[in-house]
Amino acid sequence: NSNKSLSYSLFKLGFEFVFLFVKLLYFFKLEKLFQKILCYFLKDIIKYRQRVIIKNIQHLGIENEASIKVLNDYYQHLSELVFETIWCFKASPSSIKEKVGISNMEVFDQIYDSGKNATILLSHIGNWELFCQWAALYISRLNVVTLYTPIKNNALNQLLLEYRQRFGVQMISTKATLDLYRKQKTLNP
């Protein structure tokens, strides 16, 4: 148990340094430069998932010049997503509100007024980490319950759950999706 506590403390300390670094990058307007560096590292140095990405592009039948653009866009998006996700775990509620724009907020009131449960699907094109924190803050009448895939390292998993749930999102493991149904039944009997 003390090993788990030590692991958790070390992960937390490491994350705090990373958060501070990212916050300083945003403060000094250097995040775009470091996103480009991360993009280069992921794409050209370690070639993160490059074979899978190229295979998927080929399945779509995208031609050579366009496939290069899709590949570059993917790595650029991934790099931006990494920085934004790290940023959102420590961002203030007002900063989070500025990043997310929903044009038809009345839909959430309609869902609440119906008394029924609803599922909102968010693809990986957007930043679901950011959206979940935003939803817990700004869709106050609804209980936000989110599925997540647990990380094998328990200390890291616990720490990420803490950051994700800081504004009231309720996280349910994908390994326990029946618990999601039970949770919804207790929230809206």
Side-chain angles (χ1 to χ4, degrees):
N1 230 0
S2 65
N3 282 344
K4 287 182 183 179
S5 179
L6 178 62
S7 291
Y8 174 84
S9 297
L10 289 173
F11 277 120
K12 184 150 182 120
L13 182 63
F15 268 72
E16 293 300 325
F17 280 117
V18 169
F19 293 140
L20 178 61
F21 177 71
V22 169
K23 188 174 186 173
L24 288 171
L25 291 178
Y26 275 88
F27 180 79
F28 290 111
K29 310 278 189 228
L30 294 171
E31 75 278 3
K32 295 291 183 199
L33 172 65
F34 277 81
Q35 287 170 1
K36 287 179 183 179
I37 293 169
L38 178 61
C39 181
Y40 174 77
F41 178 77
L42 292 172
K43 181 178 162 263
D44 297 319
I45 306 277
I46 66 169
K47 300 179 188 302
Y48 175 73
R49 298 191 64 184
Q50 201 166 70
R51 278 185 269 157
V52 172
I53 298 162
I54 290 170
K55 187 176 179 181
N56 289 339
I57 290 170
Q58 289 169 344
H59 283 303
L60 294 172
I62 298 173
E63 298 297 325
N64 285 343
E65 285 182 32
S67 68
I68 292 169
K69 181 178 178 350
V70 170
L71 185 69
N72 290 336
D73 288 351
Y74 169 80
Y75 284 107
Q76 180 180 341
H77 174 73
L78 179 61
S79 300
E80 291 169 0
L81 194 62
V82 166
F83 273 82
E84 186 177 68
T85 298
I86 293 168
W87 170 86
C88 84
F89 282 145
K90 283 291 194 164
S92 68
S94 60
S95 296
I96 289 172
K97 186 175 187 177
E98 291 173 12
K99 285 267 195 182
V100 178
I102 304 283
S103 59
N104 52 348
M105 287 291 291
E106 66 278 356
V107 168
F108 298 113
D109 288 329
Q110 293 167 2
I111 292 169
Y112 182 83
D113 292 341
S114 75
K116 296 179 182 176
N117 289 324
T119 301
I120 299 170
L121 299 175
L122 183 67
S123 71
H124 280 258
I125 289 176
N127 186 334
W128 73 273
E129 296 280 2
L130 180 62
F131 180 78
C132 290
Q133 291 196 25
W134 175 88
L137 287 164
Y138 297 105
I139 309 175
S140 56
R141 293 175 65 193
L142 298 179
N143 294 304
V144 180
V145 180
T146 302
L147 289 173
Y148 77 99
T149 302
I151 296 170
K152 290 179 184 176
N153 182 302
N154 289 332
L156 180 58
N157 190 59
Q158 180 185 350
L159 183 63
L160 287 174
L161 284 175
E162 183 181 308
Y163 289 124
R164 289 172 168 167
Q165 297 179 113
R166 70 188 179 121
F167 295 124
V169 170
Q170 299 170 52
M171 305 297 291
I172 303 288
S173 167
T174 53
K175 296 179 180 184
T177 52
L178 189 55
D179 290 346
L180 176 61
Y181 174 76
R182 289 185 188 120
K183 176 75 76 177
Q184 287 178 330
K185 288 303 250 183
T186 61
L187 294 174
N188 296 321

